[in-house]
Amino acid sequence: APGQVYELGSIEMSEEAVAEFAKQWDPQPFHLTDAGGAASPFGGMIASGWHTASAFMRLYVDAFLSDTAAYGGVGVDELRWVRPVRPGDVLTGRATVEEVRPSTKRPDRGSVRLHWEMRNQDGDVVFTAHAINLFGRRPPAD
């Protein structure tokens, strides 16, 4: 229902994980080494935003989707990397239901719009997005 909040747990963004993700998916110097980051406007190594989004997805699947009749995603809107994520940061995820709509074509499913958020250990928001997922619906009560 709109307003429901799901706490998704936490994940530490280790320097090794930040560098490994960057090597494979986003090899910009400020994601690869502290020296590369020091030469950037960030003043040190930071995680790829795509790594942050992937870390959120892991928490979302483990703490929420794995216990639902999830049929996949329709899309993500307004994805924002609000603050840099640095090696050693511990990120905590949260998903808040914004809207629930039954399907007009398939009564056994519906869509849910959620606000996704990650905060660091200091409580600072580092990542936000709005996502639409499809879920199975419970049969109507007789």
Side-chain angles (χ1 to χ4, degrees):
Q4 281 183 291
V5 176
Y6 296 90
E7 300 296 340
L8 307 176
S10 298
I11 188 167
E12 182 176 350
M13 302 292 277
S14 72
E15 184 171 348
E16 180 182 16
V18 168
E20 284 302 312
F21 185 95
K23 284 177 193 170
Q24 186 164 6
W25 302 109
D26 192 358
Q28 298 180 74
F30 45 86
H31 298 321
L32 294 167
T33 65
D34 199 46
S40 77
F42 302 109
M45 185 179 187
I46 64 166
S48 167
W50 297 112
H51 187 185
T52 304
S54 296
F56 177 89
M57 193 66 196
R58 181 60 195 239
L59 293 175
Y60 183 58
V61 169
D62 289 350
F64 180 73
L65 284 184
S66 61
D67 292 329
T68 69
Y71 294 151
V74 174
V76 175
D77 298 319
E78 301 175 31
L79 184 140
R80 299 286 184 263
W81 296 299
V82 181
R83 298 179 78 98
V85 171
R86 301 195 180 272
D89 281 354
V90 177
L91 305 182
T92 301
R94 172 184 290 167
T96 303
V97 176
E98 295 182 313
E99 178 183 22
V100 177
R101 293 187 343 176
S103 172
T104 57
K105 295 181 182 177
R106 298 188 174 190
D108 66 329
R109 63 192 67 178
S111 64
V112 178
R113 181 176 167 90
L114 299 120
H115 177 255
W116 291 350
E117 178 181 278
M118 291 273 269
R119 291 179 181 264
N120 65 18
Q121 66 280 354
D122 298 322
D124 299 323
V125 174
V126 298
F127 164 86
T128 63
H130 297 271
I132 301 170
N133 289 132
L134 300 177
F135 292 96
R137 295 181 67 211
R138 293 184 186 102
D142 293 331

